[in-house]
Amino acid sequence: MEHNLTPHKLLFCLLLLMSFSAFAQHKKPNIIFILTDDQRWDALGFAGNTLIQTPEMDKLAAEGTYFENAFVTTPICAASRASLITGLYERTHGYTFGQGDLKEVYAANSYPAKLREAGYFTGFYGKFGIQYPDFSSFFDEGENYDRNGKFNDRRGYFFKTIDKDTVHLTRYTSQQAIDFIGNAPGDKPFMLSLSFSAPHAHDPAELQYFWSAAYDTMYQNLVIPEPLLQENKYFEAQPAYVRTGENRTRWHWRYDTPEKYQHSVKGYYRMISEVDAEIGNIRKALEEKGLADNTVIILMGDNGYFLGERQLAGKWLMYDNSLRVPLIVYDPRQAGGVINPAFALNIDVPATIMDYAGVTPPKTWQGTSLRSRQLAKRKDFLTEHLWQVDIIAPSEAIRTEQWKYFRYINDPSHEELYDLRADPLETNNLAKDPAHQATLKKLREKMEK
């Protein structure tokens, strides 16, 4: 049978094909990845915290998938953020503070680079946290900014302006997101990364935490309960280099008096609540542009945080306070209300983003899509903090469903072993218990491999 297409029919077919192709591309979901700075896993109402007010995050968790066992593979912002864009462990990508630029081979295989290659319109606003000379190669639009350390007062946060009005970085980042959504091209999906600086303290400042004036009265009449494990015995159990290290130094900045402790925890909560409110504004912008039903939202913290436990502050160590983070994946196209108990890691986020975008991730990546059935097969994982600096002892750990084994890299003779089922707060170190030497040896050998 012959098919004779006139020029008009041929043009119509070509236009139809182009329209179908554009429609298919446009139906790929938009993706927003929201990263908070120092938000620990239980600084979230949905996680059971009855003090903090996070209605928007709770709504995302209730309508999406909440990963109740989410962890970072390195508990410090620089290395964790590098893992979040490369899908690799720190000992693979080699990036942390003081190590120079992120290596080009890993940058080229990062999720923002791959999504841009695949036709996504990409954006980033906030704290990038990775030293790399060609930030603009990752994103069609973006701005990399963080706390301004030149000042020891609120200017460390309030240094951005919107219409000549000086605002908190949280408000500024949200407005950048709203503008990006409003101006995003209609013929391709977008991938927007938002990296809020909150609730990170402004370290040089005496008051540490700063928030918008509208949040001054939030938590004002609340008395924050004292931290767990605050007794001297838990502090004294630490090796000398931890007792005199940065975790202790920052405890003095934030928690060493009842007044400082109340101020700091309330400030930390206020900053998270402010991010929470701006998430609501961003979702409203998606609704107004008709994009809400096709936009996946992923929310995560970049590392855990000590709030005075063991008389310590900061992160960096191998206890769950430092490692465990909130992680939520909300897909409006899927039924929500799912609580996933599997181990979920920061290195899984890039693979998840690629999965949603329909793009094959590089074979060298070490994470697994959070949508994959393979996730449930993960029974253990490695976590590490490899930065060689005097004030923070580098360390590494293996965590299974029942056990955690960790050691300090420069002092391998100091080992800690915890039965997490019997001792979830990690208070009874079994490393020298004769009854647990087989477990210790097995995990030590696994670490060596």
Side-chain angles (χ1 to χ4, degrees):
M1 182 183 294
E2 293 185 2
H3 297 276
N4 295 317
L5 293 177
T6 66
H8 290 293
K9 289 182 179 178
L10 181 61
L11 179 60
F12 174 78
C13 291
L14 287 172
L15 289 172
L16 187 64
L17 182 63
M18 291 171 63
S19 297
F20 178 79
S21 177
F23 176 77
Q25 183 184 42
H26 184 63
K27 292 310 289 182
K28 285 187 175 183
N30 306 303
I31 304 167
I32 299 178
F33 175 44
I34 299 172
L35 186 67
T36 54
D37 196 332
D38 284 350
Q39 184 180 3
R40 55 190 254 167
W41 75 276
D42 61 351
L44 182 73
F46 194 86
N49 188 325
T50 59
L51 303 178
I52 196 167
Q53 298 177 37
T54 53
E56 294 296 334
M57 296 182 193
D58 298 344
K59 184 179 178 182
L60 282 174
E63 295 177 349
T65 300
Y66 171 71
F67 292 87
E68 62 181 353
N69 288 300
F71 297 84
V72 294
T73 51
T74 303
I76 191 171
C77 60
S80 179
R81 289 163 190 264
S83 292
L84 278 164
I85 73 163
T86 65
L88 302 171
Y89 276 96
E90 180 190 2
R91 69 183 60 207
T92 302
H93 62 64
Y95 182 83
T96 190
F97 289 108
Q99 304 302 309
D101 295 341
L102 177 68
K103 294 180 177 63
E104 182 60 39
V105 63
Y106 304 128
N109 266 346
S110 65
Y111 85 77
K114 291 298 180 184
L115 256 64
R116 196 175 186 186
E117 289 175 7
Y120 265 73
F121 185 72
T122 58
F124 180 97
Y125 295 97
K127 174 184 175 179
F128 191 51
I130 302 167
Q131 187 175 319
Y132 182 68
D134 198 9
F135 169 82
S136 61
S137 67
F138 289 140
F139 307 104
D140 293 294
E141 290 185 5
E143 186 179 356
N144 174 18
Y145 50 86
D146 190 19
R147 294 155 291 129
N148 183 343
K150 293 187 297 183
F151 305 103
N152 289 336
D153 60 20
R154 68 188 183 91
R155 286 173 292 174
Y157 266 103
F158 290 72
F159 72 102
K160 288 289 186 180
T161 59
I162 299 174
D163 297 331
K164 299 183 180 180
D165 182 23
T166 303
V167 298
H168 194 287
L169 282 188
T170 295
R171 173 82 272 279
Y172 183 85
T173 302
S174 172
Q175 189 59 51
Q176 297 291 81
I178 291 167
D179 292 344
F180 178 91
I181 291 166
N183 298 325
D187 60 346
K188 60 171 64 176
F190 69 74
M191 166 65 214
L192 173 60
S193 294
L194 297 175
S195 185
F196 288 95
S197 293
H200 198 295
H202 181 46
D203 295 331
E206 183 177 354
L207 292 176
Q208 293 287 297
Y209 298 91
F210 296 97
W211 52 87
S212 297
Y215 293 81
D216 284 345
T217 58
M218 183 174 279
Y219 310 112
Q220 185 177 52
N221 299 320
L222 182 68
V223 177
I224 305 294
E226 294 179 345
L228 298 172
L229 313 184
Q230 64 170 326
E231 294 83 1
N232 285 335
K233 65 179 180 179
Y234 298 112
F235 173 68
E236 294 297 336
Q238 302 301 312
Y241 40 81
V242 174
R243 296 197 308 271
T244 59
E246 193 69 3
N247 293 92
R248 182 62 168 178
T249 299
R250 298 195 182 197
W251 179 81
H252 286 295
W253 294 356
R254 298 169 191 161
Y255 311 128
D256 67 355
T257 69
E259 294 76 19
K260 280 186 189 177
Y261 175 75
Q262 292 295 321
H263 167 82
S264 292
V265 179
K266 288 178 184 179
Y268 178 77
Y269 282 4
R270 285 172 182 143
M271 294 174 77
I272 292 171
S273 291
E274 188 166 0
V275 172
D276 186 81
E278 294 301 342
I279 289 173
N281 291 332
I282 292 165
R283 294 191 71 183
K284 183 179 178 181
L286 291 170
E287 291 279 0
E288 290 174 349
K289 197 173 180 185
L291 299 175
D293 292 341
N294 195 40
T295 300
V296 172
I297 300 174
I298 302 172
L299 171 72
M300 192 177 198
D302 69 341
N303 49 248
Y305 202 63
F306 284 94
L307 289 172
E309 296 87 358
R310 304 177 199 269
Q311 299 183 24
L312 300 174
K315 46 267 188 180
W316 313 306
L317 304 181
M318 295 294 111
Y319 296 109
D320 274 7
N321 309 80
S322 186
L323 301 173
R324 199 171 170 191
V325 293
L327 177 58
I328 299 165
V329 177
Y330 167 70
D331 182 351
R333 305 165 305 168
Q334 301 291 328
V338 177
I339 296 178
N340 191 323
F343 284 145
L345 307 176
N346 55 346
I347 58 171
D348 298 330
V349 169
T352 307
I353 291 171
M354 299 282 271
D355 190 0
Y356 274 114
V359 181
T360 302
K363 292 181 179 180
T364 53
W365 281 9
Q366 294 167 315
T368 300
S369 172
L370 296 169
R371 306 170 76 197
S372 170
R373 294 181 180 178
Q374 294 298 315
L375 195 70
K377 297 181 180 180
R378 179 184 283 149
K379 300 304 179 183
D380 55 49
F381 64 92
L382 172 75
T383 186
E384 58 197 353
H385 184 270
L386 305 180
W387 186 24
Q388 291 282 352
V389 60
D390 290 342
I391 58 175
I392 304 168
S395 54
E396 55 190 358
I398 284 182
R399 195 189 197 282
T400 73
E401 293 175 317
Q402 179 174 359
W403 298 98
K404 181 189 287 181
Y405 164 77
F406 74 81
R407 64 190 183 189
Y408 291 93
I409 291 171
N410 297 333
D411 181 19
S413 64
H414 180 92
E415 298 174 298
E416 299 190 25
L417 177 70
Y418 297 100
D419 181 346
L420 299 173
R421 290 177 184 165
D423 180 25
L425 294 180
E426 302 167 282
T427 61
N428 184 22
N429 182 9
L430 301 172
K432 295 182 179 179
D433 187 332
H436 294 92
Q437 291 308 296
T439 300
L440 181 76
K441 182 180 178 181
K442 178 181 178 181
L443 292 173
R444 183 194 294 137
E445 289 176 350
K446 192 175 184 68
M447 178 78 77
E448 295 296 340
K449 290 178 182 179

